[in-house]
Short mmCIF file of all heavy atoms in Angstrom, two decimals:
data_model
loop_
_atom_site.label_atom_id
_atom_site.label_comp_id
_atom_site.label_asym_id
_atom_site.label_seq_id
_atom_site.Cartn_x
_atom_site.Cartn_y
_atom_site.Cartn_z
N PRO B 172 0.51 -12.18 21.95
CA PRO B 172 -0.94 -11.94 22.12
C PRO B 172 -1.63 -13.23 22.54
O PRO B 172 -1.31 -14.31 22.03
CB PRO B 172 -1.38 -11.50 20.72
CG PRO B 172 -0.14 -11.00 20.06
CD PRO B 172 0.98 -11.84 20.61
N PRO B 173 -2.55 -13.16 23.49
CA PRO B 173 -3.25 -14.37 23.93
C PRO B 173 -4.03 -15.01 22.80
O PRO B 173 -4.68 -14.32 22.00
CB PRO B 173 -4.20 -13.85 25.04
CG PRO B 173 -4.32 -12.39 24.78
CD PRO B 173 -3.04 -11.95 24.18
N ALA B 174 -3.93 -16.33 22.70
CA ALA B 174 -4.62 -17.05 21.62
C ALA B 174 -6.14 -16.95 21.76
O ALA B 174 -6.86 -16.85 20.78
CB ALA B 174 -4.18 -18.51 21.61
N LYS B 175 -6.61 -16.97 23.01
CA LYS B 175 -8.05 -16.86 23.26
C LYS B 175 -8.30 -15.68 24.19
O LYS B 175 -7.79 -15.64 25.31
CB LYS B 175 -8.58 -18.15 23.88
CG LYS B 175 -8.47 -19.37 22.97
CD LYS B 175 -9.01 -20.62 23.64
CE LYS B 175 -8.90 -21.83 22.72
NZ LYS B 175 -9.43 -23.06 23.38
N PHE B 176 -9.05 -14.73 23.68
CA PHE B 176 -9.34 -13.54 24.47
C PHE B 176 -10.80 -13.18 24.21
O PHE B 176 -11.15 -12.64 23.16
CB PHE B 176 -8.42 -12.38 24.08
CG PHE B 176 -8.55 -11.18 24.99
CD1 PHE B 176 -7.81 -11.10 26.16
CD2 PHE B 176 -9.40 -10.14 24.66
CE1 PHE B 176 -7.92 -10.00 26.99
CE2 PHE B 176 -9.51 -9.03 25.48
CZ PHE B 176 -8.77 -8.96 26.66
N ALA B 177 -11.67 -13.53 25.15
CA ALA B 177 -13.11 -13.33 24.97
C ALA B 177 -13.55 -12.00 25.57
O ALA B 177 -13.10 -11.60 26.65
CB ALA B 177 -13.88 -14.48 25.62
N VAL B 178 -14.44 -11.32 24.85
CA VAL B 178 -15.01 -10.06 25.31
C VAL B 178 -16.52 -10.14 25.14
O VAL B 178 -17.02 -10.51 24.08
CB VAL B 178 -14.47 -8.86 24.51
CG1 VAL B 178 -15.13 -7.57 24.97
CG2 VAL B 178 -12.96 -8.76 24.66
N ASN B 179 -17.24 -9.82 26.20
CA ASN B 179 -18.70 -9.82 26.15
C ASN B 179 -19.21 -8.39 26.12
O ASN B 179 -19.01 -7.63 27.06
CB ASN B 179 -19.29 -10.56 27.36
CG ASN B 179 -18.91 -12.03 27.36
OD1 ASN B 179 -18.92 -12.67 26.32
ND2 ASN B 179 -18.57 -12.56 28.53
N GLY B 180 -19.85 -8.03 25.00
CA GLY B 180 -20.39 -6.68 24.88
C GLY B 180 -19.28 -5.64 24.80
O GLY B 180 -18.15 -5.93 24.41
N LEU B 181 -19.61 -4.43 25.16
CA LEU B 181 -18.63 -3.35 25.14
C LEU B 181 -17.88 -3.30 26.47
O LEU B 181 -18.47 -3.06 27.53
CB LEU B 181 -19.34 -2.00 24.90
CG LEU B 181 -18.42 -0.77 24.93
CD1 LEU B 181 -17.33 -0.88 23.88
CD2 LEU B 181 -19.24 0.50 24.74
N ASP B 182 -16.60 -3.54 26.40
CA ASP B 182 -15.73 -3.52 27.57
C ASP B 182 -14.58 -2.55 27.28
O ASP B 182 -13.59 -2.92 26.65
CB ASP B 182 -15.20 -4.91 27.86
CG ASP B 182 -14.33 -4.96 29.11
OD1 ASP B 182 -14.08 -3.90 29.70
OD2 ASP B 182 -13.89 -6.06 29.48
N PRO B 183 -14.69 -1.28 27.70
CA PRO B 183 -13.68 -0.27 27.34
C PRO B 183 -12.26 -0.61 27.77
O PRO B 183 -11.30 -0.10 27.20
CB PRO B 183 -14.18 0.99 28.05
CG PRO B 183 -15.65 0.77 28.23
CD PRO B 183 -15.80 -0.70 28.47
N LEU B 184 -12.10 -1.47 28.79
CA LEU B 184 -10.76 -1.81 29.28
C LEU B 184 -10.21 -3.09 28.65
O LEU B 184 -9.12 -3.53 29.02
CB LEU B 184 -10.79 -1.97 30.80
CG LEU B 184 -11.15 -0.71 31.59
CD1 LEU B 184 -11.15 -1.01 33.09
CD2 LEU B 184 -10.16 0.43 31.28
N ALA B 185 -10.95 -3.65 27.71
CA ALA B 185 -10.51 -4.91 27.10
C ALA B 185 -9.17 -4.75 26.37
O ALA B 185 -8.32 -5.63 26.43
CB ALA B 185 -11.58 -5.42 26.13
N GLY B 186 -8.98 -3.62 25.69
CA GLY B 186 -7.73 -3.39 24.99
C GLY B 186 -6.54 -3.35 25.92
O GLY B 186 -5.48 -3.92 25.62
N ALA B 187 -6.71 -2.71 27.07
CA ALA B 187 -5.62 -2.63 28.05
C ALA B 187 -5.30 -4.02 28.61
O ALA B 187 -4.13 -4.38 28.79
CB ALA B 187 -6.00 -1.67 29.18
N ARG B 188 -6.34 -4.81 28.88
CA ARG B 188 -6.11 -6.17 29.38
C ARG B 188 -5.41 -7.03 28.33
O ARG B 188 -4.56 -7.86 28.65
CB ARG B 188 -7.43 -6.82 29.79
CG ARG B 188 -8.08 -6.21 31.02
CD ARG B 188 -9.01 -7.20 31.72
NE ARG B 188 -9.87 -7.90 30.76
CZ ARG B 188 -11.02 -7.42 30.29
NH1 ARG B 188 -11.45 -6.23 30.68
NH2 ARG B 188 -11.74 -8.12 29.45
N PHE B 189 -5.76 -6.82 27.08
CA PHE B 189 -5.14 -7.56 25.99
C PHE B 189 -3.64 -7.25 25.93
O PHE B 189 -2.81 -8.16 25.76
CB PHE B 189 -5.81 -7.20 24.67
CG PHE B 189 -5.31 -7.98 23.48
CD1 PHE B 189 -5.80 -9.24 23.21
CD2 PHE B 189 -4.33 -7.45 22.65
CE1 PHE B 189 -5.34 -9.96 22.12
CE2 PHE B 189 -3.85 -8.16 21.57
CZ PHE B 189 -4.36 -9.43 21.30
N VAL B 190 -3.27 -5.98 26.08
CA VAL B 190 -1.86 -5.59 26.07
C VAL B 190 -1.12 -6.20 27.25
O VAL B 190 0.00 -6.71 27.11
CB VAL B 190 -1.72 -4.05 26.09
CG1 VAL B 190 -0.27 -3.64 26.28
CG2 VAL B 190 -2.27 -3.44 24.80
N VAL B 191 -1.74 -6.17 28.43
CA VAL B 191 -1.11 -6.74 29.63
C VAL B 191 -0.86 -8.23 29.43
O VAL B 191 0.22 -8.74 29.77
CB VAL B 191 -1.99 -6.48 30.87
CG1 VAL B 191 -1.47 -7.29 32.05
CG2 VAL B 191 -2.01 -5.00 31.21
N GLN B 192 -1.84 -8.94 28.86
CA GLN B 192 -1.66 -10.38 28.65
C GLN B 192 -0.61 -10.66 27.57
O GLN B 192 0.05 -11.69 27.60
CB GLN B 192 -3.00 -11.02 28.27
CG GLN B 192 -3.99 -11.05 29.42
CD GLN B 192 -5.22 -11.89 29.11
OE1 GLN B 192 -5.17 -12.83 28.33
NE2 GLN B 192 -6.35 -11.53 29.72
N THR B 193 -0.46 -9.73 26.63
CA THR B 193 0.59 -9.87 25.62
C THR B 193 1.98 -9.84 26.24
O THR B 193 2.91 -10.48 25.75
CB THR B 193 0.45 -8.75 24.57
OG1 THR B 193 -0.82 -8.86 23.92
CG2 THR B 193 1.56 -8.82 23.53
N LEU B 194 2.11 -9.11 27.34
CA LEU B 194 3.40 -9.00 28.04
C LEU B 194 3.58 -10.07 29.11
O LEU B 194 4.56 -10.05 29.86
CB LEU B 194 3.52 -7.61 28.69
CG LEU B 194 3.45 -6.42 27.72
CD1 LEU B 194 3.46 -5.11 28.51
CD2 LEU B 194 4.59 -6.45 26.72
N GLN B 195 2.65 -11.01 29.20
CA GLN B 195 2.66 -12.04 30.23
C GLN B 195 3.97 -12.83 30.28
O GLN B 195 4.45 -13.17 31.38
CB GLN B 195 1.49 -13.00 30.01
CG GLN B 195 1.13 -13.87 31.21
CD GLN B 195 0.35 -13.09 32.26
OE1 GLN B 195 -0.19 -12.03 31.98
NE2 GLN B 195 0.29 -13.63 33.46
N PRO B 196 4.61 -13.17 29.15
CA PRO B 196 5.85 -13.95 29.23
C PRO B 196 6.94 -13.30 30.06
O PRO B 196 7.78 -14.00 30.64
CB PRO B 196 6.29 -14.05 27.75
CG PRO B 196 5.01 -13.95 26.98
CD PRO B 196 4.16 -12.99 27.76
N PHE B 197 6.93 -11.98 30.19
CA PHE B 197 7.98 -11.29 30.93
C PHE B 197 7.79 -11.44 32.45
O PHE B 197 8.68 -11.07 33.21
CB PHE B 197 8.01 -9.82 30.55
CG PHE B 197 8.46 -9.59 29.13
CD1 PHE B 197 7.53 -9.48 28.11
CD2 PHE B 197 9.81 -9.53 28.81
CE1 PHE B 197 7.94 -9.28 26.80
CE2 PHE B 197 10.23 -9.33 27.51
CZ PHE B 197 9.28 -9.22 26.49
#
Side-chain angles (χ1 to χ4, degrees):
K175 296 180 180 179
F176 188 86
V178 177
N179 296 319
L181 177 59
D182 182 356
L184 297 180
R188 291 204 314 276
F189 184 83
V190 172
V191 169
Q192 290 190 29
T193 298
L194 301 175
Q195 197 77 17
F197 293 94

